[in-house]
């Protein structure tokens, strides 16, 4: 027993909570017309998730809710709960009892619950599909719908059969997979479109990045060139510095030496200039000699005079001695007379030159005075020999003194002369030395000029080197800016000047020159390539990542589309195989039940393909219009055809059957379907209405056999049917318009049904 209970509350005419327990394999619901029996069948549809309001005789959701009556107000919600025994896990949930509940509110909102937990309709539908209680409701036959399956088209029939065969779950899965596939395809399209949108930008960025990469390569190349260049240039500058320093040393030293020499020569010259003092002493000596000589000469003359005087005195004395006393003659020296004459000549000159007689007189007087004076003096000369010997002695002294002095002077003259000659000799020698010094100085100065000129050439080279060094530094700075710090690391990884190569060699300089040319070329190219590399790379990386991500997404989508496609194909195969197998089985039973019902005849189901014309999409339609083509396309759909042929009658096909015959045929098919894959319960709402007594019996027999596989709920007015039920519910409706439920006995039921 699967179906345990049905609870209605506010559903249609069941305003109050009504509970139906299904403790029997067959339960009959009986009651007068309009009491609400069919509402119970609809309550089943409702709780099992029926979405067609029409099949529940409603137009909108609120038609399911008790709408009030003269004695009772309308309600705001209707709920129906069905309880299944799930020990056998007929429903795929881990509960031994499963209660499904559906509630509808006046605003049309529906709620679904499984064991009190709210779920989605989809969950309910899937849960039930696994238990062959599908949404097509093939197991709930409403009033007047006994021949529904016969009236349906081949496609609907196929669906009903799928439902009955429990294949709906595959169908759902297939639909779900198809929906997923469709979504996946949509995603593929949108991802593809995103990629397409991204593509031109990516291409552009790729080109930019190529440029940036080229610039990067150029920078690397530039860095390498720079390092080589700097390494060699550094060596070159150092070499040049050393060369110049070496070149400067000898001339500088020589210059120093020459200066020293020059100083020496100057000194020599200065020294010779000091010859002046010696000249002075020479002069001094000359003076000394002259003076001594003059004095000597004067002394000699004096000596001569003295000797003369002595001689004269001696002669005088001798004469005086000879004349003495005899003639009283006095001797007057001539010099005295010359002296008197001298004095008087002046007076004569004065007298002769003047006309004035007083002057003449004065002259005469004075002449007289002079003569008188002379005579007086001469008379006074007495004792001459005494005086004369005194004179001789005095003169002798004088002579002696003069002679001594002359000797001294001679000595002095000799030494002065000696000194003079010596000095003179020195001076002569010095003179010769200073001429040599002058010559030397001239030579030294000439050499100095030569050296200075050499040095200034070196200095010019130093200036040139300084400029080169400046260039080197500037280039270093530029290299750092253009090629990054790595370019400056030339000391560790750089040039190719080998040990035995001179960095200043012509060959090396040419190499450096070529390198610089190459550097300049790259610099220009770098400048042309522009900047902003980092941003471009970042953007490119992002765009690329996005593209890779999208590509991966596409791959994933393609993979999942493939999986889904495979799944769908599998499901289709499964559906196809199981459907065909199921149909074959149903066919067997159908034939069996049909011959029971009709006492023979033939009935079968046939899987057919139907070509349907389907209107094409608008776009295709437009295209076709232009081409003058068809606006419909053929679609092949698989369906079920029913073939019947009644015994003893020549009629074939469903259309020829009477109402009762149709009912019987569809009941046979329904039962056949239920036998092959029995649903847990079947509800038949007055399916027996059209049957006569004999057929009612056959119907009753079939019901009993069917009850072995499915629980049956039979809404009926048929006594025969009632008689087969193990449990009977009576439904009544009083004047208040509310259905009431009561458990009744068979007899009561017969009574109620009336
Ligand atoms: P029959 O034997 O003639 O087939 P029945 O017993 O099956 O009759 P139902 O068709 O189930 O009767 O019941 C119909 C009754 O339910 C009507 O009286 C109708 O007014 C009532 N009914 C239907 N919907 C509602 C509703 N929303 N509120 C109140 N009553 C309703």
């Amino acid at each position: 027993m699967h179906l345990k209970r049905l609870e209605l509350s506010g559903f249609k005419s069941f305003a109050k909570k009504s509970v139906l327990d299904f403790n029997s394999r067959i339960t009959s619901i009986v009651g007068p017309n309009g009491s609400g029996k069919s509402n119970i069948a609809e309550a089943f549809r409702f709780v099992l998730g029926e979405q067609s309001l029409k099949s529940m005789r409603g137009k909108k959701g609120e038609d399911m809710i008790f709408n009030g009556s003269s004695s009772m107000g309308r309600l705001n919600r209707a709920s129906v709960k069905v309880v299944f025994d799930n020990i056998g896990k007929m429903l795929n949930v881990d509960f031994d009892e499963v209660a499904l509940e559906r509630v509808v509110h006046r605003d049309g909102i529906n709620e679904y619950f499984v064991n009190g937990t709210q779920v989605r309709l989809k969950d309910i539908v899937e849960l039930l599909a696994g238990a062959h209680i599908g949404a097509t409701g093939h197991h709930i036959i409403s009033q007047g719908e006994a021949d529904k399956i016969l009236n349906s088209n081949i496609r609907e029939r196929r669906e009903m059969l799928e439902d009955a065969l429990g294949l709906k779950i595959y169908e759902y899965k297939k639909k779900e997979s198809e929906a997923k596939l469709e979504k996946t395809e949509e995603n593929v399209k949108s991802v593809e479109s995103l990629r397409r949108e991204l593509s031109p930008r990516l291409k552009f960025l790729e080109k930019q990045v190529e440029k940036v990469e080229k610039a990067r390569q150029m920078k690397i190349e530039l860095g390498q060139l720079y390092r080589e260049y700097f390494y060699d240039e550094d060596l070159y500058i150092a070499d040049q510095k050393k060369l110049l320093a070496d070149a400067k040393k000898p001339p500088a030293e020589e210059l120093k030496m020459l200066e020293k020499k020059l100083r020496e020569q100057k000194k020599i010259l200065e020294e010779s200039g000091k010859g002046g003092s010696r000249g002075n002493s020479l002069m001094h000596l000359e003076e000394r000699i002259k003076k001594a000589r003059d004095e000597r000469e004067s002394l000699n003359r004096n000596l001569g005079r003295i000797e003369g005087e002595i001689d004269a005195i001696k002669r005088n004395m001798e004469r005086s001695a000879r004349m003495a006393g005899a003639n009283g003659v006095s001797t007057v020296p001539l010099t005295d007379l010359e002296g008197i004459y001298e004095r008087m000549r002046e007076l004569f000159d004065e007298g002769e030159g003047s006309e004035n007689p007083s002057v003449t007189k004065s002259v005469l007087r004075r002449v007289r005075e002079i003569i008188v004076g002379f005579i007086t003096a001469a008379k006074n000369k007495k004792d001459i020999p005494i005086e004369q010997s005194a004179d001789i002695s005095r003169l002798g002294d004088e002579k002696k003194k003069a002679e001594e002095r002359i000797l001294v002077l001679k000595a002095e003259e000799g030494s002065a002369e000696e000194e003079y000659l010596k000095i003179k000799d020195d001076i002569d020698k010095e003179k010769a030395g200073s001429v040599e010094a002058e010559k030397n100085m001239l030579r030294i100065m000439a050499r100095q000029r030569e050296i200075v000129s050499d040095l200034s050439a070196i200095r010019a080279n130093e200036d040139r080197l300084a400029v080169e060094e400046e260039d080197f530094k500037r280039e270093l700075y530029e290299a750092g800016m253009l090629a990054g710090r790595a370019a400056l690391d030339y000391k560790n990884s750089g040039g190719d000047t080998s040990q035995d190569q001179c960095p200043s060699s012509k060959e090396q300089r040419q190499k450096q020159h070529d390198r610089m040319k190459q550097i300049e070329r790259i610099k220009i190219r770098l400048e042309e390539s522009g900047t902003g590399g980092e941003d471009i790379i970042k953007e490119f990386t992002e765009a690329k990542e996005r593209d890779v991500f999208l590509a991966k997404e596409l791959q994933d989508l393609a993979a999942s589309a493939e999986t889904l496609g495979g799944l769908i194909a599998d499901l289709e195969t499964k559906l196809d195989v199981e459907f065909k197998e199921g149909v074959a089985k149903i066919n067997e039973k159908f034939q069996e039940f049909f011959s029971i019902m009709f006492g023979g005849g033939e009935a079968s189901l046939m899987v057919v393909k139907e070509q349907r014309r389907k209107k094409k999409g608008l776009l295709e339609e437009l295209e076709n219009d232009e081409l003058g083509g068809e606006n419909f396309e053929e679609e092949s759909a698989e369906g079920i055809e029913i073939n019947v042929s009644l015994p003893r009658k020549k009629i074939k096909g469903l259309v020829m059957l009477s109402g009762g015959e149709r009912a019987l045929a569809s009941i046979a098919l329904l039962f056949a379907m239920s036998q092959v894959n029995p649903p847990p319960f079947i509800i038949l709402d007055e399916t027996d209405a059209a049957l006569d007594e004999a057929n009612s019996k056959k119907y009753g027999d079939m019901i009993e056999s069917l009850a072995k596989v499915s629980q049956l709920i039979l809404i009926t007015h048929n006594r025969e049917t009632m008689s087969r039920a193990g449990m009977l519910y009576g439904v009544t409706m009083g004047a208040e318009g509310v259905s009431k439920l009561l458990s009744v006995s068979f007899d009561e039921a017969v009574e109620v049904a009336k």
Side-chain angles (χ1 to χ4, degrees), residues 32-39 57 63 65-67 143 686 717:
N33 290 135
S35 59
K37 300 183 297 295
S38 293
N39 289 345
R57 293 178 298 167
D63 292 341
I65 305 168
F66 178 69
N67 208 23
Q143 198 173 1
E686 296 187 41
H717 292 287

Side-chain angles (χ1 to χ4, degrees), residues 473-489:
K473 279 179 191 158
R474 202 183 46 247
E475 209 59 62
L476 265 179
Y477 174 75
E478 207 167 312
M481 299 297 287
L482 284 174
R485 297 193 60 78
L488 310 182
D489 192 23

